[in-house]
Amino acid sequence: MDNEISTQPHGMEDVEIQEWLESLDSVLESSGPEVAAEILERLRAHATVNGIDLPFSANTPYANTVPVRLQPLFPGDQELERRIKSLIRWNALAMVVRANRVEHNIGGHISTYASAATLYEVGFNHFFRARTDEFEGDTVYFQGHASPGMYARAFLEGRLSAQKLENFRRELKPGGGLSSYPHPWLMPDFWEFPTVSMGLSPLMAIYQARYNRYLEDRGMKPATDAKVWAFLGDGETDEPESLGAITLASREKLDNLIFVINCNLQRLDGPVRGNGQIIQELESAFRGARWNVIKVLWGSEWDPIFERDTEGLLVKRMGELVDGEYQKLVVSSGAYVREHFFGSDPRLLQLVEPMSDESLRRLRLGGHDPRKVYAAYKAAVDHKGSPTVILARTIKGYGLGEAGEGKNVTHQQKKLNEDELREFRSRFGIPLNDEDCIEVPFYRPAEDSVEIQYLRARREALGGYVPKRSIRAKPLAADHDELFKEFLEGSEGREVSTTMAFVGMLRKMLKDAEIGKLVVPIVPDEARTFGMESLFRTAGIYSSVGQKYEPVDVNTLLYYKEAKDGQILEEGITEAGSMASCIAAGTAYATHGINTIPFFIYYSMFGFQRIADFIWAAADMRMRGFLLGGTSGRTTLAGEGLQHQDGNSHVLALPVPNVKAYDPAFAYEIAVIIQDGIRRMYKDGESVLYYITVMNEPYAMPPMPGDVKDGILRGMYRFRPAANGKAKLRAQLFGSGAILNEVLRAQEILESKYGVAADVWSVTSYKELYNDGIESERWNRLHPGEKARAPYVTICLADAPGVLVAASDYLKTLPNMISKWMPRRLASLGTDGFGRSEGRASLRDFFEVDSRFITLATLHELFVDGKVERSVLDKAIKDLGINADKPNPVVS
Ligand SMILES: Cc1ncc(C[n+]2csc(CCOP(=O)(O)OP(=O)(O)O)c2C)c(N)n1
Ligand SMILES: [Mg+2]
């Protein structure tokens, strides 16, 4: 094991080792730890120079990082805090047990909080500062599965009623209940951060801490010593997102960030690292990433044993055991511990000779000892220059005894039998008699009890209650008509893409008096792809250290300008990290009381497809802001092939209820959507966010054809009616994004070559149309006696004659899902299938979405209706140059 401290290397005499240790001790005593560290460093260098190949290890011994002599005095009333914690333990357990008695299998977790209670209570009583008018407060990400403990505490604090606790996981009961996990969507006055999809919260916490610095560096909030605390499980660290950004945290010197990893050595199925040591593994990962690592492994009961052990035998022994063995030890008798742990060396046995078996059994782990946890937290908040991770050893299901303590099944434990309940009650001294306790009532001491008084006083001293969510930003005032006006006027023939149009709007928004400072452009190393490099110079790229080098392109107009007050978050190649920044920015209206407006622009294929779970969490968190899917459209993004060309994201946006998804074709549509989005989110305070796809095909942007704003926002409007409304052959064509141009070309071909007069509609949002349609259906079903409501699609097409054909750069399912509210059959063209590395024209031929295929689809619909002859179709296929035997893109 690489953390061993060997006492007898290669036959070396104990006495020699002893001398070295003693001289180090004396340096430590006379000159302090810095000098001792300096000497060791010099020794290491000296050894290297002399050819000694020192093995690399990022580990320290398997011992507490804060030595007893540096342990601060515990400032609280330990006995009272223990009693309060016991009551919270009881109520947290009661909540889950009761819920599962009422409704079998409703779920809930007992053992996670049971293991973490001390970690939280020390935080609540001494560290977590609430948000107040004077102080922004600490930000705490609670481990999702520990939520019963947070509810139980809020119950003691008088913030949640017994009724609410009774309805844990039964939120739809009269009077409301409590959500299973932290969900701001469901409990918007309580929870701030959804944490239960494991791995998301550690990454979000890192970017939150970084965003706090960004706001400070840009002068948008005062610099404070507020901390971001993230509580996570040791099993959770296997999620790639958990450790995925830890080097950003150290690079940015985020000493406002503290991770607390509850190392109970277990996850759901069993041990996290039965054959290894998760704590040492995490220590080396975090130390390697230059975090400040504080291990809290052993409780105070161990201190005298360590003190007796002058040879370092104990710490050596501790480093030898694998986690599977440790898991067994913590649930074993004192005699077993003596034999199997201390029994490996007679000298170790001697160390614990004076101790009874019972006192050996009672040797606590560090994470269950408030004094040790306090010492670690204090060291963490005082630490400067890097983020801190606390690795705290605990027992999963602590206190559950036979009902699950340390057992592999404990994660799933939701029911306790009568004996187990009585035992738990007795162990934690809950004042309930044998009879009452098996009913598992919630227990709250009287308001004037010392427990409640103490708990309240502690929270008062720390500024109020945590967690608590409130919207602290004032709504925006302006309408921004002036700002967006120019984009309604078209490009006067100049060919621009919708991406360029958007960047133009962004540039203008950045200069606006009201929102200019609030706009936060976020890009994952793709700004040049989107033509945003001009913003580098004007807005600057945020860097906490400014720019320490002269950029290679300094002599150019658009040089790469990094600045401490830079506005752009250029995150590098991390969509997950960029999304986490976007979330921090888009929830700052609550977290900081600042209406920052994120515009996160990325390669659309790497958005919903890659980081959908973060977007889901953002939606739960009531994030406000804009996601921009750049280079979107499976046939519009040419050349890039199957892994880049996005025909999916609008389908993947469907499930997120409060995401408004738009596939605009023209600059004015984007302007209308963004202006309205800012109003809805930042003026009217709606909990929605926007997904807008922008494309890279340049074409002339037309002016807005009359007042079609309402249609743009609701999902469709007639863009260009047929020239000859009296023609016999009629059609309605629907297009979205860049494919609308293909539809317009088809309109011309149909009119000039086939005598078909077609109206062209721009469909800006199939999702909006779909939601409106299902809402009308639902209302009609529930109100059969009242005048039926018609979906917006139906209203739009009420008098629209002819056959119906839709084409987009996305899956055919989008138009299909609204077709039932259309007056007649719909033919849908779309880009189902894998993309290809090809040019735009070939791609549109391959996916059958170009003007020729739209023309053919229209003629075919007319043929099916008996309006044109077969021969017209045959001729059209020939004239349009369509290969009828081409491969089917869906399956090729
Ligand atoms: C992404 C994700 N995958 C799986 C789960 C299901 N799950 C919930 S708790 C849990 C085990 C948690 O173990 P650990 O992180 O060690 O936390 P502990 O309860 O031991 O403190 C799992 C697998 C989840 N919530 N999220
Ligand atoms: Mg665990």
Side-chain angles (χ1 to χ4, degrees), residues 234-235 262 264 266-267 272 396:
D234 48 0
N262 177 17
N264 52 30
Q266 287 180 243
R267 43 181 159 77
V272 179
K396 190 141 178 170

Side-chain angles (χ1 to χ4, degrees), residues 352-614:
V352 290
E353 236 231 300
M355 297 174 71
S356 68
D357 284 353
E358 179 55 16
S359 54
L360 286 189
R361 196 183 64 79
R362 285 170 171 276
L363 287 171
R364 264 181 313 175
L365 295 181
H368 295 303
D369 182 342
R371 281 172 293 179
K372 298 290 183 196
V373 173
Y374 179 85
Y377 286 7
K378 182 84 175 67
V381 299
D382 290 345
H383 178 75
K384 296 271 178 298
S386 62
T388 292
V389 58
I390 290 163
L391 302 171
R393 257 206 77 180
T394 62
I395 298 171
K396 190 141 178 170
Y398 185 70
L400 290 182
E402 278 307 300
E405 187 164 272
K407 297 195 169 152
N408 279 335
V409 294
T410 192
H411 189 84
Q412 305 289 69
Q413 180 61 283
K414 303 171 201 329
K415 291 177 181 166
L416 274 76
N417 65 31
E418 295 183 359
D419 285 344
E420 290 163 348
L421 283 171
R422 288 196 192 102
E423 197 186 310
F424 189 91
R425 178 267 336 245
S426 303
R427 175 161 179 183
F428 293 108
I430 311 300
L432 290 171
N433 66 32
D434 277 5
E435 241 163 72
D436 291 346
C437 112
I438 58 174
E439 298 300 322
V440 227
F442 297 123
Y443 181 81
R444 183 172 190 266
E447 192 58 41
D448 59 359
S449 63
V450 279
E451 288 89 351
I452 298 294
Q453 293 295 314
Y454 182 88
L455 171 138
R456 282 195 189 283
R458 288 312 309 146
R459 286 316 314 166
E460 235 162 76
L462 291 161
Y465 295 111
V466 172
K468 185 167 177 278
R469 180 182 179 278
S470 61
I471 295 172
R472 307 194 301 154
K474 301 260 174 308
L476 292 185
D479 285 322
H480 308 289
D481 283 337
E482 250 336 282
L483 200 169
F484 290 99
K485 204 168 129 226
E486 76 173 81
F487 302 101
L488 306 182
E489 287 158 10
S491 62
E492 292 170 347
R494 205 163 51 89
E495 296 202 332
V496 292
S497 65
T498 45
T499 306
M500 288 161 76
F502 162 71
V503 173
M505 284 171 221
L506 185 59
R507 194 177 296 121
K508 198 150 179 217
M509 283 188 274
L510 283 164
K511 291 194 189 121
D512 182 80
E514 185 180 39
I515 63 170
K517 271 193 91 166
L518 301 173
V519 167
V520 181
I522 303 168
V523 277
D525 197 31
E526 214 71 62
R528 292 183 199 279
T529 313
F530 306 132
M532 286 169 65
E533 60 269 44
S534 64
L535 299 180
F536 288 169
R537 172 80 187 274
T538 49
I541 295 164
Y542 172 67
S543 155
S544 57
V545 294
Q547 193 156 34
K548 294 178 171 178
Y549 60 96
E550 185 177 278
V552 64
D553 50 2
V554 72
N555 294 326
T556 64
L557 203 60
L558 309 177
Y559 77 90
Y560 196 85
K561 180 184 154 199
E562 299 195 62
K564 191 154 179 168
D565 61 352
Q567 197 157 351
I568 300 170
L569 287 171
E570 158 61 271
E571 298 293 20
I573 311 167
T574 166
E575 282 75 15
S578 305
M579 187 64 210
S581 276
C582 184
I583 290 172
T587 50
Y589 70 91
T591 317
H592 296 288
I594 303 171
N595 274 321
T596 43
I597 310 172
F599 286 87
F600 169 28
I601 183 161
Y602 54 88
Y603 239 116
S604 74
M605 193 62 157
F606 307 133
F608 277 90
Q609 187 135 315
R610 189 170 177 124
I611 50 158
D613 208 14
F614 277 104

Side-chain angles (χ1 to χ4, degrees), residues 112 143 145 196-198 233-236 239 262 264 266-268 396 411:
T112 300
Q143 196 185 350
H145 300 84
V196 78
S197 176
M198 309 186 97
D234 48 0
E236 181 172 12
E239 290 286 2
N262 177 17
N264 52 30
Q266 287 180 243
R267 43 181 159 77
L268 192 152
K396 190 141 178 170
H411 189 84

Side-chain angles (χ1 to χ4, degrees), residues 5-281:
I5 296 183
S6 177
T7 50
Q8 287 177 308
H10 308 296
M12 197 186 199
E13 289 302 320
D14 276 359
V15 60
E16 217 169 319
I17 279 284
Q18 201 54 39
E19 277 172 15
W20 278 84
L21 293 177
E22 275 166 20
S23 62
L24 186 69
D25 283 349
S26 91
V27 172
L28 198 56
E29 211 160 288
S30 60
S31 312
E34 282 85 18
V35 176
E38 167 78 23
I39 290 175
L40 287 174
E41 205 42 60
R42 293 273 288 275
L43 264 180
R44 170 182 284 276
H46 191 70
T48 310
V49 168
N50 285 288
I52 300 172
D53 186 16
L54 291 173
F56 169 77
S57 171
N59 278 122
T60 63
Y62 205 81
N64 290 349
T65 306
V66 180
V68 179
R69 64 187 171 79
L70 294 182
Q71 203 173 296
L73 270 183
F74 186 79
D77 181 330
Q78 227 178 299
E79 173 50 24
L80 207 43
E81 289 190 20
R82 192 190 63 78
R83 268 163 39 206
I84 293 167
K85 182 168 63 189
S86 296
L87 295 174
I88 296 174
R89 285 182 185 282
W90 173 262
N91 288 312
L93 172 134
M95 201 182 316
V96 179
V97 172
R98 290 179 74 87
N100 283 276
R101 277 186 184 175
V102 180
E103 198 157 336
H104 181 61
N105 270 344
I106 196 76
H109 299 83
I110 297 173
S111 63
T112 300
Y113 180 70
S115 74
T118 301
L119 301 179
Y120 285 114
E121 278 305 292
V122 172
F124 279 120
N125 285 321
H126 303 285
F127 290 94
F128 306 156
R129 291 160 300 176
R131 307 194 193 289
T132 64
D133 291 342
E134 293 76 41
F135 178 63
E136 64 178 306
D138 295 321
T139 297
V140 188
Y141 291 73
F142 296 95
Q143 196 185 350
H145 300 84
S147 62
M150 311 315 133
Y151 293 141
R153 173 166 249 275
F155 169 64
L156 289 195
E157 290 166 346
R159 297 202 291 149
L160 290 177
S161 65
Q163 174 75 43
K164 288 266 188 196
L165 263 61
E166 183 70 15
N167 288 337
F168 173 57
R169 289 190 169 229
R170 296 185 303 142
E171 297 182 88
L172 302 177
K173 291 288 165 293
L178 299 174
S179 66
S180 50
Y181 304 114
H183 294 303
W185 184 259
L186 303 170
M187 295 177 64
D189 302 327
F190 193 84
W191 294 117
E192 294 184 296
F193 308 103
T195 48
V196 78
S197 176
M198 309 186 97
L200 302 193
S201 80
L203 191 120
M204 290 195 293
I206 290 174
Y207 282 86
Q208 178 73 63
R210 199 294 212 86
Y211 192 71
N212 296 357
R213 289 279 161 79
Y214 167 87
L215 289 176
E216 287 169 10
D217 286 340
R218 288 193 51 217
M220 298 182 71
K221 79 171 186 68
T224 70
D225 68 347
K227 304 286 180 201
V228 175
W229 295 78
F231 285 79
L232 34 151
D234 48 0
E236 181 172 12
T237 59
D238 280 337
E239 290 286 2
E241 294 89 347
S242 298
L243 306 190
I246 60 173
T247 51
L248 170 96
S250 44
R251 191 163 66 242
E252 291 293 312
K253 301 189 171 47
L254 298 179
D255 51 19
N256 57 344
L257 176 66
I258 300 167
F259 273 15
V260 180
I261 307 186
N262 177 17
C263 296
N264 52 30
L265 313 187
Q266 287 180 243
R267 43 181 159 77
L268 192 152
D269 283 340
V272 179
R273 293 287 183 276
N275 294 313
Q277 294 180 325
I278 185 63
I279 290 179
Q280 297 301 86
E281 184 179 323

